[in-house]
Amino acid sequence: MGVLHLISTGRQTAAQLAAICARIHPYADAIHVREKGKTAREVAEFVIALLRAGVPAQKIIVNDRVDVAAVYGVKGVQLAYHSLPVRAVRRTFSDLEIGCSVHGPIEAKQAQQAGAHFCLYGHVFPTESKPGLAPRGLDGVADVVRAVQIPIIAIGGIHAGNARSVLKAGAAGVAVLSAVFLAEDPVREAKQLAEIVKGERIE
């Protein structure tokens, strides 16, 4: 049984995101607040909006902003190459689950050695958010999965039509942005993905 992470697109307001998450969070294992370029206060507004909408704190992951994640007592933080070091964050904020964004086996091994709990790996398929960059493909997923023992969650161009292939390549789960949050019917898309990833019918 895999896990489903849903990640904000940066194209919606806190209120818009919260309104969608109020309906789809039951299908997700984690909801990432990924709002690049926003201040700590602005990122906090997104977290507060999700909490007020009924999203459990233990499903919320804040990208990059360790301070916001710690202050609001959420599930965890997703770190990128420009973020604070994994080891330092884990040492200081032992209650946070730490994800690390990686692009290959070497980076995944480094993240594991530093204490990351899981890695986001991508981008697997072509995606509008990475124009001009070649996707790393399913073989890339398999290579990273073989390199480490911690869960690898695939990201990039994933939707209900290709999620199964990612899981077959060994990923522990998938992370999805626009396929859910920019969909005409986010609830239907989230439910469909959850059924695929978790391998069971959801009523």
Side-chain angles (χ1 to χ4, degrees):
M1 188 165 101
V3 295
L4 175 60
H5 287 220
L6 301 178
I7 301 179
S8 69
T9 64
R11 300 188 200 177
Q12 292 159 318
T13 66
Q16 289 170 333
L17 184 73
I20 296 172
C21 289
R23 296 181 292 145
I24 66 173
H25 78 79
Y27 307 116
D29 297 286
I31 293 176
H32 292 235
V33 176
R34 182 176 182 258
E35 297 295 318
K36 295 181 177 181
K38 287 188 169 61
T39 65
R41 182 182 291 273
E42 290 168 333
V43 173
E45 288 172 358
F46 276 78
V47 173
I48 292 167
L50 292 181
L51 293 170
R52 287 177 176 167
V55 178
Q58 282 307 303
K59 283 192 175 184
I60 299 173
I61 292 177
V62 178
N63 279 45
D64 189 40
R65 298 305 309 225
V66 180
D67 49 354
V68 176
V71 166
Y72 289 94
V74 299
K75 175 184 179 76
V77 64
Q78 179 69 29
L79 302 175
Y81 69 93
H82 60 263
S83 302
L84 291 170
V86 172
R87 200 180 305 278
V89 174
R90 180 151 187 181
R91 183 174 62 243
T92 308
F93 301 99
S94 57
D95 290 341
L96 289 177
E97 185 171 319
I98 301 172
C100 192
S101 299
V102 302
H103 305 94
I106 293 175
E107 290 181 13
K109 287 179 181 178
Q110 291 170 342
Q112 176 176 272
Q113 291 166 358
H117 295 92
F118 67 90
C119 291
L120 283 189
Y121 169 77
H123 62 293
V124 178
F125 300 112
T127 171
E128 290 182 7
S129 63
K130 304 286 185 182
L133 290 178
R136 294 181 166 86
L138 297 174
D139 288 342
V141 174
D143 288 343
V144 171
V145 168
R146 283 193 294 267
V148 295
Q149 285 73 54
I150 58 176
I152 297 297
I153 298 170
I155 188 172
I158 297 173
H159 49 73
N162 59 25
R164 282 190 180 88
S165 65
V166 177
L167 299 172
K168 286 180 181 178
V174 301
V176 177
L177 291 81
S178 57
V180 169
F181 284 117
L182 301 182
E184 189 173 316
D185 187 344
V187 175
R188 182 183 65 195
E189 294 299 323
K191 182 178 178 181
Q192 188 176 3
L193 273 164
E195 289 181 344
I196 291 168
V197 172
K198 299 175 191 302
E200 59 189 37
R201 180 75 179 169
I202 298 173
E203 298 301 329

